[in-house]
């Protein structure tokens, strides 16, 4: 079953402000992850760990597509656990003075053999928390 995880929220902020939060590494660390090597450029590879000192999950991503104020698409991988990758697409759309943020995480089945920490439910909960709480609260404060 190749059904992507889809998470979307309306954020009461202009699209340009949402885009900046998604693509400016200084803003990202306020609501998402501290990504030191992030550069908004196709083929840029960036790396990060979950917050805290444990550094259990090395995330590695490569930017595939950029449409300013509309779309950011990148791979999502755990090179310490698997050679397989998934794809995350962030799409922005103006809606009633705010911004509809839609995230699609595709090929999540590639991680099905890596254990419970990589389950569809875990990713769905994580993305809902990141978009529906962290990003929303950061931009609507």
């Amino acid at each position: 079953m190749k059904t992507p995880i889809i998470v979307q929220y309306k954020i009461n902020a202009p699209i340009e402000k949402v885009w900046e939060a998604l693509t400016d590494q200084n803003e990202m660390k306020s609501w998402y992850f501290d990504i030191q090597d992030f550069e908004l450029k196709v083929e840029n590879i960036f790396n990060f760990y979950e917050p805290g000192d444990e550094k259990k999950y090395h995330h590695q991503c490569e930017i595939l597509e950029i449409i300013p104020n509309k779309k950011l698409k990148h791979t999502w991988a755990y090179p310490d656990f698997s050679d397989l990758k998934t794809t995350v697409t962030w799409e922005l759309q103006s809606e009633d003075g705010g911004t509809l943020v839609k995230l699609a995480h595709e090929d999540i089945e590639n991680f099905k053999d890596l254990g419970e920490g990589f389950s569809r439910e875990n990713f769905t909960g994580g993305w809902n928390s990141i978009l529906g709480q962290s990003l929303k609260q950061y931009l609507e404060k």
Side-chain angles (χ1 to χ4, degrees):
M1 178 175 77
K2 291 220 172 223
T3 306
I5 294 170
I6 307 261
V7 175
Q8 61 182 22
Y9 286 89
K10 181 177 179 214
I11 296 181
N12 294 314
I15 209 164
E16 296 81 10
K17 190 173 176 187
V18 177
W19 180 256
E20 193 168 326
L22 286 179
T23 59
D24 179 299
Q25 72 184 111
N26 292 319
E27 288 207 37
M28 277 189 235
K29 64 182 163 192
S30 297
W31 67 272
Y32 191 40
F33 295 102
D34 185 5
I35 308 174
Q36 309 259 327
D37 56 355
F38 181 87
E39 188 180 337
L40 188 60
K41 188 172 85 179
V42 171
E43 295 183 357
N44 180 61
I45 294 173
F46 57 96
N47 300 272
F48 59 95
Y49 290 88
E50 71 284 359
D53 295 328
E54 199 172 338
K55 305 255 184 277
K56 189 174 174 185
Y57 298 109
H58 170 210
H59 301 67
Q60 187 171 70
C61 307
E62 179 181 357
I63 297 178
L64 303 173
E65 183 179 4
I66 301 164
I67 303 172
N69 296 317
K70 287 191 186 325
K71 184 180 195 182
L72 175 63
K73 183 175 188 175
H74 59 79
T75 61
W76 183 278
Y78 297 96
D80 298 343
F81 294 93
S82 172
D83 292 333
L84 297 175
K85 297 177 180 178
T86 60
T87 305
V88 173
T89 305
W90 301 80
E91 292 183 282
L92 307 181
Q93 186 178 329
S94 291
E95 184 179 275
D96 301 327
T99 304
L100 182 66
V101 179
K102 178 181 172 186
L103 178 133
H105 195 160
E106 299 172 80
D107 301 319
I108 202 71
E109 307 78 27
N110 289 348
F111 297 153
K112 72 180 181 327
D113 298 329
L114 301 182
E116 195 177 308
F118 300 91
S119 71
R120 180 179 191 85
E121 294 71 29
N122 221 22
F123 277 103
T124 302
W127 287 124
N128 272 295
S129 176
I130 287 169
L131 264 74
Q133 294 172 14
S134 299
L135 179 62
K136 194 168 172 59
Q137 289 171 4
Y138 174 71
L139 287 169
E140 292 181 354
K141 64 182 178 204

